[in-house]
Amino acid sequence: FHPQWLGKRARIGRSTSRLSFLMEVTVVETGDLPSGTFISFHTGSVRRHAQIEKDKSISLSHVSGSEPVRIDVMSQVGSHTFNVVPGQDLYEVPIKPNPGAGVDSDLKLKFQIKYGTGKDAQQTHVTEPCQPGSPSKKLQTALMMRNYLDDHDVLRQMQDMLQEMVDSRPADPIEYMIQRLEDVCRGGQAVDYDVAEGDAAEVVQEKPSKLSQERKPSKEGKPADSASETESDDGNDEPDLPPPPPPSVGRKRGSVSEEAYGKFNERKAYEPKVVPKTEEQKQRLMKVMESCWMFKSHTPENQRVIVDALEERIIEAGVRCVQQGDDGQVMWVIEQGELECLKMIGGEEKPVKICRSGDIFGELALLYGCPRAASVVSKERCVLWELDRETFKAICFEAAQKAPVEYEGFAAPKTSSGSHVDQGDAVRKTISKPRRAGVSAGALGVASDDWIPPVYGKSQEERDQLANIIKTSHDSKLLMLFGSVNKETFEKIVDAMFAKNIKAGEAVIEQGAEGDYFYIVKRGDFDIYVQKGHDPPKKVFQAGVGFAFGELALLYSCPRSATIKAQQDSEVWCLDRTAFQNLVIRSAQSQFKEYCGFLSSVDLFHALSDNERASLAEVLEEEEFDDDEAIVEQYERDDKMFILRSGNACACLKGEQGEVEVMQYKTGDYFGEIALLSGEPRKASVYAVGKVTCLYITRDTFMRVLGSLHDVLERSMGKYEKYQDAIKASKEQAANAAVAEDPEGDENEGNHDSKKNKFAKKKRERQTMDLSKLEQHKVVSEVPADDAPVETLADKVAQDFNNPALVTPSASHTVKDALITMFGGLVPHQKFTMDKVIHVVSGLAASRKNTEDFYSWQMPSKLKQPTEISVVCQKGQKSASDPTPNQDNFFIHHIGAVTMYGICDGHGPFGHLVSFRLVQTLPFFLSNSPHFGKDWEQALKQAFQQAQDDLSEFCGLHNVNIEASGAAGSVLVLEEQTVHVAHIGDARIMIGSWNKRDSRMIHCTKDHKPDLPEEKARLHAAGSEVREIDPGNHRIYLQGSNFPGLTMSRAFGDIACAGVSREPEYNQFLMQPTDQWYAIVASDGIWEFIEGEEACSLSSKKLRLKGTRETVEFMVNASRKRWAHVCGDYCDDITAILIQWNSATALEGDCNHSLTVRPWEAQ
């Protein structure tokens, strides 16, 4: 804008005056634009908003004439942004169709801008009454919030606060954050907000003043349909608006984007700088730029501009080119020579890096507007090329913003160990951009493609030990560094590490020294010392086997931040910087490019920008599948889309003739993308053909990174006709509407060419599971009910159901203070595979997910991610005339930071009554134990014995014979991070890791069988007899009798034989906050044919890919197939609770626990 458009006024609440001018906007044409459209004048430091109506003129003042003006036209149908051009008075704004918002076709908004004089700027206006199209309070608030976010660098404020918390470690983090944010608010810049009311754009001031209490009359002669701003503001004009922020106390903090784009967040017109050069100089310079990361990706045109702007500087040895802490206006590219980078550490200047030909330095000061992070001194005569700030901002900024992890990094990171970092150090800040940046790293230098990874000889035992340390260590640094590498790279890393012996008292690392190695403790212990200033070193940590240190030398060019000494003779695994950077960093970059390429081939993602696809590439997961392994299975529900990274696969449909192959996939193909839109069951199965590696992304991850996919697709809806039904289904599903199934729908998924990939459907024969070995060790736990007098047992069971005390919950055993209480109930006449009736006591409302009840809640937890729980409890089939209900039962209770899970597997004629009583009394006695939360072993042992005593008394009172009826029992308790396990009998608990790099069984309980030496000795001492009736099949009898033939030496009930114990076997395990563990708490229906190791092998990958619900169903079905193979129609009752800790699934709101169960429903 031009100087003649200026006027003056004093801003209320400010000590300085502002220049202002008058702009009159006349709407020429609106088409069918809905009422309530807003026009927003944005000057870079302040916004002015006004509402547009056809044939109305809008006068706006108080916009400084020294600033460029950007106009945002906002409405409920979209927005358009452009700059006001001096000398241009007529503008057209295209509005795209949006039928849902009342715009059915293209239209253009036309308006004319006239510029007033300083005299006009002093005019006031008369406010017309509020029109129906006036903005709501919600919209007014939204405009104010938009202004606030523009004026305050919120993201950086939060980043700085978190960094300060890591450094200072306040005792009360919440109070610290509150105080910190209050300080920011008190020091923030106050903002004036214009909120439109009818035609008028009013200014809401920070504080009402005496001037604002009096309305200035409008000048005579002003047209009635024209509005202008008043020079003084009346706080009573907008009674519905909340008060704006308090006035400024200090100067406004400059943002990263302000530094990058200029004072008003807009790039100024760049005038290319030309420094004369000879052809020989240009050729030399181009050669250097080819090896420099910042210039590799530029277009030839941009490279020519940069070459023209660079200026040659020749410096001699010993010249200080850069002084730490100074402001920076230029950066340099090194053509020849070496320079040393120095940093002030502990009051002493220390070398941290050597820069050579092809390196650059000084760019951080230009990129972030921060002081120089280090000093740079030439070691010899050097040839440098100097680049100015304006050229950097205009041409190089985007490249620097998207730089890979291989650049500069003079600034040593602040560490939690307390190492000193000067206030002048430049800490990398996050540039405002869509996708997140990776870890800042030291310079990789000029990577050599012919670099050969070193191989240090190791025995297979040593390789396995090293791999196991990396995979299972509780040190999170190992997961951060190596968790995302593929199997091939991981093996090369193991090859590249070598063992080194460290003597007692020897320092493997010294604070302040330059570091080139990363270490993992193989054996022994190490003390870690940190020295601050001139104080003596202080021990801050002790590192044992599996602990890693020295990683900063791999990631940053910085000195060691601590001294680490061996307590005794020890041994470490070592990895040098070059191996790490070539194996990990370069492979990660290569993998990232590959992932981006795969995503570019998915037509579903063509609507995404390059940055959005890059964001997805960073969160892709990888999984391997063996030949004929199911990648997705028909009728399963999951939320993942897969891309074949390597190998082949085929899709099959199930029908009357078995599975029919209908599609083939090759490397680069994808399938299952409809799962990103809706949670409908899979319409087909996809199997691996040979060894296959897949990339996948979940719906939750996609939404977290980019939002709803159907919103993304609607950007270019015409390109995605084949997804219209799925998009519609996803919207209906969100509205809880029923969606009709298309049994052939999955054939339309993927990027396959129908002419190329489809073929005549053929039957596919899959490999069958080898169950032949099961018969060799099969032992049915109890005698089938056919041997019992059916009429008598049936009559007794029916009679028991007429006694409410036996079959309804006990009010006297309610667990107090439980957020949720859940256990199984009893109903008569249940058939094979019917679900258990569920009793729930909770203030939580259940939602319906497909056929399951879903509960979610928030409770204190030390774990970093949510906990997911799924339960299946189904009746078996012991004979066609078996009258007993499902004898399995379970309980789940959540009290504060404690969750209790239990399984009771009943046996004998009245096992169903025993298990029903126990799932109520066990958690009751446990929660009321004086040892609860203090001594869990004693609390569990006490609760088991009290439950047995109660059972004996209760059954005696109600004439229930438990001489040969009882139950196995297992209880798992999670308190914060500690898992407590107690069990008797054969209802097992398996704890495992579902982490991709660490899938393993951690613990599985052992059955209490009478042939175990210690069990047998106790039983014989008590007068009972243990006999082997078949090879490997031992049972317990009364001395000289064939009764009762018990199979377990520890159980509830079973009072006929002395020596049967109720004392549980106890174990505990400490889980780290980020450990990806899970547990299966299940009855013998699961464990009869599946051992713990096999259960972990079957379930860990399934859990990663499918979640708890599909995994627990899979385990139940796998068990049932084994029962059918060995026992024909006979099948035990099956119950399983699957608990997944640190699940990757995001829950709604603040919830960090979820529970899914399918209850019995009367037919």
Side-chain angles (χ1 to χ4, degrees):
F1 285 89
H2 301 296
Q4 61 263 32
W5 303 338
L6 305 178
K8 291 185 178 180
R9 72 176 176 98
R11 297 189 69 191
I12 299 173
R14 304 287 175 89
S15 60
T16 59
S17 62
R18 294 277 300 219
L19 298 176
S20 62
F21 66 99
L22 180 68
M23 294 178 65
E24 184 177 279
V25 180
T26 302
V27 179
V28 178
E29 179 182 336
T30 64
D32 295 322
L33 193 66
S35 62
T37 301
F38 271 78
I39 185 168
S40 167
F41 292 78
H42 181 197
T43 68
S45 61
V46 88
R47 287 181 185 268
R48 295 289 181 261
H49 307 286
Q51 184 177 333
I52 296 178
E53 289 186 26
K54 187 176 180 180
D55 298 325
K56 294 286 186 178
S57 293
I58 302 166
S59 295
L60 295 152
S61 61
H62 315 311
V63 179
S64 172
S66 64
E67 299 174 349
V69 177
R70 188 180 81 194
I71 294 184
D72 296 326
V73 177
M74 300 179 295
S75 75
Q76 60 265 42
V77 297
S79 63
H80 189 84
T81 301
F82 59 95
N83 292 330
V84 173
V85 179
Q88 180 178 339
D89 59 351
L90 192 64
Y91 295 83
E92 270 188 5
V93 178
I95 303 294
K96 295 294 183 183
N98 191 335
V103 178
D104 297 319
S105 60
D106 286 336
L107 61 87
K108 292 182 179 178
L109 169 67
K110 292 184 181 180
F111 58 89
Q112 188 174 34
I113 296 181
K114 293 182 180 179
Y115 308 105
T117 65
K119 180 179 179 180
D120 294 329
Q122 303 300 321
Q123 294 179 349
T124 58
H125 70 281
V126 177
T127 303
E128 294 185 358
C130 182
Q131 302 298 320
S134 298
S136 64
K137 286 196 296 183
K138 183 177 180 181
L139 181 54
Q140 293 172 359
T141 303
L143 294 173
M144 294 174 69
M145 288 304 298
R146 179 173 176 177
N147 229 334
Y148 178 82
L149 293 175
D150 284 342
D151 257 30
H152 298 76
D153 192 6
V154 176
L155 182 61
R156 193 174 68 173
Q157 294 280 10
M158 296 299 293
Q159 182 181 359
D160 289 351
M161 179 179 68
L162 292 175
Q163 181 65 62
E164 290 169 11
M165 288 179 64
V166 170
D167 293 339
S168 61
R169 295 175 178 265
D172 187 344
I174 302 300
E175 181 61 33
Y176 178 90
M177 287 189 289
I178 293 172
Q179 184 61 48
R180 175 70 164 72
L181 292 174
E182 285 178 349
D183 292 342
V184 171
C185 291
R186 282 194 292 269
Q189 171 80 18
V191 182
D192 290 339
Y193 301 94
D194 284 4
V195 183
E197 183 76 14
D199 292 340
E202 292 296 336
V203 178
V204 182
Q205 287 292 345
E206 298 90 338
K207 292 182 180 180
S209 67
K210 292 182 179 180
L211 291 174
S212 66
Q213 305 303 316
E214 299 178 2
R215 185 78 174 191
K216 293 186 178 181
S218 61
K219 292 196 174 184
E220 295 180 1
K222 184 73 178 176
D225 60 352
S226 176
S228 66
E229 280 196 349
T230 148
E231 294 306 324
S232 61
D233 306 288
D234 191 342
N236 297 322
D237 287 344
E238 297 290 345
D240 293 334
L241 288 176
S248 172
V249 175
R251 66 179 292 272
K252 177 184 171 182
R253 179 178 191 149
S255 69
V256 174
S257 58
E258 182 179 71
E259 162 60 29
Y261 291 112
K263 186 176 180 182
F264 307 114
N265 260 357
E266 294 211 1
R267 296 181 187 269
K268 297 179 181 179
Y270 170 67
E271 293 293 335
K273 178 181 177 181
V274 178
V275 178
K277 297 176 183 68
T278 66
E279 281 302 317
E280 184 267 341
Q281 285 178 308
K282 290 182 180 180
Q283 291 299 322
R284 285 165 38 210
L285 187 50
M286 289 297 293
K287 186 175 180 180
V288 174
M289 290 172 60
E290 287 176 0
S291 63
C292 183
W293 63 264
M294 184 177 287
F295 308 117
K296 286 179 181 178
S297 60
H298 282 297
T299 64
E301 181 181 353
N302 276 357
Q303 287 183 345
R304 285 193 296 271
V305 174
I306 295 168
V307 168
D308 286 340
L310 285 165
E311 189 169 356
E312 187 175 20
R313 302 290 188 192
I314 297 176
I315 60 173
E316 301 300 326
V319 175
R320 185 170 290 257
C321 309
V322 172
Q323 177 62 48
Q324 182 176 344
D326 287 352
D327 291 333
Q329 300 298 323
V330 293
M331 58 160 284
W332 294 271
V333 184
I334 305 173
E335 178 186 354
Q336 181 182 318
E338 288 189 356
L339 299 98
E340 187 172 42
C341 304
L342 307 166
K343 290 184 65 66
M344 293 297 296
I345 299 174
E348 181 182 351
E349 194 171 59
K350 296 183 178 182
V352 295
K353 182 180 177 181
I354 300 296
C355 293
R356 299 178 176 89
S357 176
D359 288 343
I360 63 173
F361 63 93
E363 81 278 16
L364 292 185
L366 307 188
L367 183 60
Y368 301 116
C370 58
R372 296 294 192 188
S375 298
V376 181
V377 178
S378 58
K379 297 183 67 178
E380 59 188 11
R381 185 178 185 273
C382 298
V383 178
L384 310 178
W385 291 94
E386 184 179 283
L387 187 66
D388 63 289
R389 175 186 289 268
E390 291 305 317
T391 302
F392 177 85
K393 289 198 297 181
I395 307 298
C396 303
F397 178 79
E398 293 297 333
Q401 189 182 21
K402 299 174 183 177
V405 295
E406 56 187 89
Y407 79 89
E408 191 172 343
F410 291 158
K414 296 180 180 180
T415 67
S416 57
S417 61
S419 57
H420 177 77
V421 179
D422 289 328
Q423 293 298 317
D425 288 357
V427 180
R428 285 194 64 185
K429 299 172 178 64
T430 301
I431 297 293
S432 177
K433 56 179 179 176
R435 73 182 186 92
R436 61 177 174 84
V439 178
S440 303
L444 220 136
V446 181
S448 175
D449 293 333
D450 58 1
W451 178 82
I452 299 175
V455 177
Y456 296 97
K458 302 175 185 68
S459 66
Q460 188 59 46
E461 182 181 357
E462 286 179 316
R463 291 181 63 84
D464 293 342
Q465 182 210 36
L466 176 55
N468 188 60
I469 287 176
I470 295 174
K471 292 176 180 179
T472 63
S473 174
H474 290 313
D475 191 341
S476 60
K477 291 191 290 293
L478 290 175
L479 179 62
M480 178 194 76
L481 295 174
F482 306 122
S484 62
V485 301
N486 57 40
K487 183 179 293 185
E488 180 183 359
T489 302
F490 185 82
E491 291 300 321
K492 290 181 180 179
I493 291 171
V494 172
D495 285 335
M497 299 192 83
F498 61 91
K500 181 180 180 181
N501 291 310
I502 309 295
K503 297 287 187 181
E506 181 182 348
V508 64
I509 280 178
E510 291 191 0
Q511 184 173 345
E514 185 175 349
D516 289 314
Y517 289 95
F518 169 71
Y519 303 94
I520 302 174
V521 181
K522 181 181 179 182
R523 63 178 175 86
D525 293 290
F526 291 81
D527 293 328
I528 300 178
Y529 298 89
V530 172
Q531 182 177 16
K532 294 185 178 181
H534 299 291
D535 295 339
K538 179 180 180 183
K539 181 177 176 180
V540 295
F541 194 75
Q542 180 175 315
V545 174
F547 187 85
F549 48 84
E551 72 280 0
L552 295 185
L554 281 69
L555 294 173
Y556 303 95
S557 297
C558 63
R560 298 298 195 185
S561 60
T563 296
I564 302 180
K565 294 182 178 181
Q567 279 188 359
Q568 65 269 355
D569 288 350
S570 304
E571 194 173 5
V572 293
W573 291 107
C574 311
L575 181 68
D576 68 84
R577 176 203 295 272
T578 303
F580 176 82
Q581 290 181 331
N582 280 279
L583 288 173
V584 180
I585 297 179
R586 291 188 66 194
S587 66
Q589 293 168 358
S590 175
Q591 177 178 288
F592 176 75
K593 292 178 182 178
E594 180 187 10
Y595 285 6
C596 288
F598 279 132
L599 293 175
S600 297
S601 68
V602 180
D603 59 2
L604 187 67
F605 297 148
H606 285 175
L608 302 181
S609 67
D610 290 342
N611 275 342
E612 288 173 325
R613 277 193 291 270
S615 296
L616 288 186
E618 289 181 324
V619 295
L620 283 177
E621 300 284 345
E622 183 177 306
E623 194 66 63
E624 296 178 348
F625 298 88
D626 294 323
D627 182 36
D628 207 47
E629 185 176 358
I631 302 172
V632 300
E633 293 191 64
Q634 192 170 350
Y635 308 128
E636 276 190 340
R637 294 177 184 272
D638 65 43
D639 62 351
K640 295 172 181 64
M641 186 198 84
F642 293 87
I643 303 173
L644 277 178
R645 187 182 185 190
S646 64
N648 300 284
C650 65
C652 299
L653 289 174
K654 294 177 182 177
E656 295 180 359
Q657 303 301 319
E659 285 195 311
V660 177
E661 189 173 317
V662 296
M663 195 69 61
Q664 290 181 343
Y665 301 102
K666 63 183 184 304
T667 299
D669 287 347
Y670 60 92
F671 50 87
E673 69 272 24
I674 299 302
L676 299 183
L677 286 163
S678 68
E680 286 299 292
R682 296 289 191 184
K683 308 294 174 54
S685 298
V686 178
Y687 300 104
V689 179
K691 195 77 172 178
V692 166
T693 300
C694 283
L695 306 176
Y696 68 87
I697 186 170
T698 67
R699 184 167 60 248
D700 285 342
T701 300
F702 189 97
M703 292 189 68
R704 173 172 57 82
V705 176
L706 295 180
S708 172
L709 180 57
H710 64 70
D711 290 342
V712 172
L713 294 181
E714 284 175 352
R715 301 177 191 172
S716 304
M717 187 55 68
K719 299 179 181 178
Y720 303 105
E721 293 181 1
K722 71 175 182 178
Y723 298 116
Q724 292 286 348
D725 292 341
I727 295 170
K728 180 180 179 182
S730 70
K731 291 182 177 180
E732 291 176 351
Q733 189 179 54
N736 297 320
V739 182
E741 287 194 21
D742 173 11
E744 299 289 327
D746 207 56
E747 291 186 53
N748 294 323
E749 288 191 68
N751 61 333
H752 40 72
D753 185 329
S754 59
K755 295 180 181 180
K756 181 178 178 181
N757 292 49
K758 281 194 176 182
F759 49 89
K761 297 182 180 181
K762 62 181 182 180
K763 184 176 180 181
R764 174 177 169 82
E765 297 293 339
R766 295 194 65 213
Q767 300 173 11
T768 57
M769 183 170 48
D770 182 13
L771 302 176
S772 58
K773 297 181 180 179
L774 294 177
E775 295 177 333
Q776 299 175 10
H777 71 271
K778 165 69 187 103
V779 177
V780 177
S781 299
E782 50 184 292
V783 179
D786 291 309
D787 296 342
V790 176
E791 294 81 5
T792 305
L793 180 58
D795 290 345
K796 175 59 176 170
V797 170
Q799 182 183 18
D800 290 341
F801 270 98
N802 291 324
N803 182 353
L806 293 175
V807 296
T808 57
S810 169
S812 59
H813 292 96
T814 300
V815 176
K816 296 180 180 179
D817 302 323
L819 178 66
I820 185 169
T821 292
M822 178 180 289
F823 57 92
L826 292 173
V827 292
H829 312 305
Q830 279 194 303
K831 302 300 182 183
F832 184 42
T833 73
M834 281 189 176
D835 293 297
K836 193 84 168 176
V837 64
I838 305 297
H839 293 287
V840 181
V841 180
S842 175
L844 303 173
S847 58
R848 198 71 168 173
K849 282 196 172 182
N850 307 312
T851 59
E852 292 89 26
D853 286 342
F854 180 80
Y855 299 85
S856 60
W857 65 93
Q858 195 278 333
M859 287 297 280
S861 174
K862 294 287 187 180
L863 305 183
K864 297 299 184 182
Q865 299 295 327
T867 297
E868 287 194 73
I869 310 152
S870 288
V871 185
V872 170
C873 185
Q874 294 181 344
K875 189 182 184 316
Q877 180 172 266
K878 297 171 184 175
S879 73
S881 58
D882 178 20
T884 59
N886 183 351
Q887 294 189 317
D888 283 357
N889 216 317
F890 72 94
F891 66 80
I892 298 173
H893 293 264
H894 197 119
I895 310 171
V898 175
T899 314
M900 301 183 291
Y901 309 90
I903 291 285
C904 293
D905 182 355
H907 57 258
F910 309 109
H912 58 288
L913 298 177
V914 173
S915 63
F916 181 61
R917 184 69 178 180
L918 289 171
V919 295
Q920 299 174 76
T921 58
L922 259 177
F924 172 79
F925 291 125
L926 181 57
S927 61
N928 285 280
S929 169
H931 303 293
F932 183 87
K934 301 173 184 176
D935 185 338
W936 282 104
E937 183 174 8
Q938 289 303 314
L940 286 160
K941 289 181 176 179
Q942 184 183 72
F944 271 57
Q945 186 57 53
Q946 288 177 312
Q948 171 65 22
D949 296 341
D950 170 85
L951 181 67
S952 298
E953 180 182 351
F954 177 77
C955 291
L957 179 65
H958 294 282
N959 193 29
V960 177
N961 187 338
I962 56 171
E963 288 183 334
S965 291
S970 293
V971 176
L972 183 149
V973 176
L974 176 69
E975 182 190 34
E976 295 185 339
Q977 298 169 235
T978 307
V979 181
H980 305 271
V981 172
H983 83 289
I984 57 175
D986 58 358
R988 298 182 201 166
I989 296 176
M990 191 280 293
I991 301 173
S993 168
W994 59 271
N995 182 279
K996 178 185 174 183
R997 302 291 177 193
D998 184 29
S999 295
R1000 61 189 171 93
M1001 187 187 81
I1002 296 168
H1003 174 75
C1004 189
T1005 59
K1006 301 293 185 182
D1007 297 347
H1008 291 117
K1009 296 183 177 180
D1011 60 321
L1012 296 172
E1014 64 275 16
E1015 300 295 308
K1016 189 174 183 178
R1018 185 186 68 249
L1019 290 165
H1020 283 174
S1024 295
E1025 184 178 346
V1026 177
R1027 301 178 203 160
E1028 186 175 16
I1029 60 174
D1030 292 309
N1033 183 3
H1034 294 75
R1035 294 186 178 246
I1036 309 168
Y1037 296 91
L1038 293 173
Q1039 195 78 31
S1041 168
N1042 289 328
F1043 178 83
L1046 303 175
T1047 60
M1048 290 295 131
S1049 58
R1050 300 192 194 190
F1052 293 105
D1054 290 345
I1055 61 175
C1057 295
V1060 175
S1061 174
R1062 286 89 203 176
E1063 181 176 340
E1065 187 175 334
Y1066 171 81
N1067 289 279
Q1068 73 173 38
F1069 306 90
L1070 179 63
M1071 178 167 51
Q1072 297 302 314
T1074 58
D1075 280 346
Q1076 294 176 323
W1077 285 12
Y1078 72 108
I1080 299 175
V1081 186
S1083 67
D1084 186 46
I1086 292 286
W1087 305 116
E1088 187 70 56
F1089 303 108
I1090 300 178
E1091 296 298 324
E1093 289 283 1
E1094 185 183 6
C1096 184
S1097 176
L1098 288 170
S1099 59
S1100 58
K1101 180 189 291 186
K1102 197 81 173 180
L1103 189 58
R1104 283 197 302 273
L1105 296 176
K1106 308 297 182 181
T1108 56
R1109 189 68 212 170
E1110 293 293 344
T1111 303
V1112 75
E1113 293 277 6
F1114 170 78
M1115 292 299 296
V1116 169
N1117 291 333
S1119 301
R1120 194 169 284 132
K1121 289 177 183 178
R1122 288 161 169 77
W1123 279 100
H1125 176 79
V1126 176
C1127 302
D1129 291 338
Y1130 183 95
C1131 181
D1132 201 355
D1133 303 324
I1134 297 179
T1135 301
I1137 306 173
L1138 178 58
I1139 309 117
Q1140 182 184 22
W1141 292 298
N1142 282 316
S1143 164
T1145 302
L1147 301 178
E1148 293 183 1
D1150 296 329
C1151 294
N1152 57 2
H1153 291 77
S1154 71
L1155 170 58
T1156 306
V1157 62
R1158 184 171 58 230
W1160 173 80
E1161 294 181 353
Q1163 303 297 319

